[in-house]
Amino acid sequence: MKSESVEMTFDTIIHNGTLLTLDADMRTLPAGWIGIREGRIAAIEPTCQAPPPEAPLRIDAAGGIVMPGLVNIHTHLPMTLFRGLADDLPLMTWLNEHIFPAEARFIEPEAVHWGTRLACAELLLGGTTCCCGGYFHEDAVAEAVAETGLRAVLGQGVIDFPAPGVPDPAQNVAHARAYVQKWRERSALIQPAIFCHAPYTCGDTTLTAAKRAANELGVLFQVHAAETVSNGISPWPTRV
Ligand SMILES: [Zn+2]
């Protein structure tokens, strides 16, 4: 007997894959298919007793896994550009001697755009469809992410020294507010946020003002916390 869903019409059918539903029962369906209509999953057929219906787009999963997208909950997308610049160092050495100087020298909107595009390509190729990131020039990050179809929470970086795009630290929270207001209603897939870099780079006044701004604007607040040991010793076992 055909299931009711077989009678429905779909824009896209994904078939010939093992479906990981991640539903309440964590069901794995080795031979079903998924029907998508208007961008949403409209049907999951658990068996292949009936052939999948026709659809304008049929995706043959070729025996692969069909699963919900992965979520990267912490990233700095444009920093793909710094990959390999300095590795296996204590956090403060890495930041103060390598990353902050490189950011001061190279980070401007076009670099952020291309670094973000590269990061998005890598995320999508690895099956990640949603991420939470934060950086400077976050407006350029959001523009680039929005072109890809990824879903993202993207925080404008706040730090108490001159930063890319915010040369006057006294303007850091105001700059973040303006970014949030620009992106708050702009995209169904992009959620703007405010990202204070860390308690050691943002003073109490900045942390308080940034959190207050996030609360007032109704957006998420991000901050690095408990990143590593604080005595300069590398957290990596081979170095301790
Ligand atoms: Zn981080």
Side-chain angles (χ1 to χ4, degrees):
M1 188 178 76
K2 284 184 175 180
S3 70
E4 185 182 341
S5 59
V6 174
E7 308 299 336
M8 301 168 74
T9 59
F10 304 101
D11 307 319
T12 302
I13 294 289
I14 304 173
H15 67 105
N16 193 24
T18 297
L19 312 184
L20 307 188
T21 64
L22 301 190
D23 63 8
D25 298 324
M26 298 295 281
R27 289 182 303 155
T28 297
L29 309 175
W33 52 262
I34 293 175
I36 298 169
R37 187 187 313 117
E38 297 176 358
R40 305 183 77 89
I41 295 174
I44 297 177
E45 174 61 39
T47 72
C48 60
Q49 289 175 347
E54 294 299 319
L57 177 61
R58 285 172 68 93
I59 298 174
D60 183 345
I65 292 171
V66 183
M67 59 182 279
L70 299 169
V71 178
N72 179 335
I73 61 168
H74 182 84
T75 185
H76 309 288
L77 298 171
M79 293 186 76
T80 49
L81 300 180
F82 294 148
R83 181 176 294 143
L85 179 73
D87 294 324
D88 303 332
L89 296 168
L91 177 63
M92 291 306 161
T93 306
W94 181 76
L95 273 177
N96 292 320
E97 297 180 20
H98 300 277
I99 296 302
F100 287 153
E103 287 177 337
R105 184 171 175 193
F106 296 113
I107 291 302
E108 38 73 39
E110 187 178 6
V112 163
H113 172 85
W114 289 112
T116 301
R117 295 278 290 187
L118 172 59
C120 290
E122 292 178 346
L123 288 172
L124 289 166
L125 285 168
T128 298
T129 57
C130 180
C131 70
C132 179
Y135 205 58
F136 306 113
H137 290 298
E138 200 66 14
D139 182 53
V141 174
E143 291 279 3
V145 172
E147 293 172 9
T148 70
L150 274 161
R151 186 183 303 274
V153 175
L154 299 173
Q156 167 61 39
V158 170
I159 205 164
D160 273 344
F161 54 75
V166 191
D168 178 4
Q171 297 301 312
N172 53 18
V173 176
H175 187 88
R177 274 184 181 272
Y179 157 77
V180 168
Q181 282 165 337
K182 176 175 178 179
W183 279 91
R184 208 160 40 155
E185 307 289 341
R186 190 160 166 177
S187 165
L189 297 176
I190 306 291
Q191 282 188 45
I194 296 179
F195 162 47
C196 278
H197 175 258
Y200 53 82
T201 51
C202 296
D204 291 351
T205 303
T206 296
L207 288 167
T208 304
K211 181 69 171 82
R212 184 179 298 128
N215 289 352
E216 289 172 3
L217 293 162
V219 297
L220 293 173
F221 174 81
Q222 303 162 255
V223 64
H224 287 117
E227 291 171 282
T228 184
V229 289
S230 59
N231 58 3
I233 298 173
S234 167
W236 288 278
T238 52
R239 298 267 180 137
V240 171

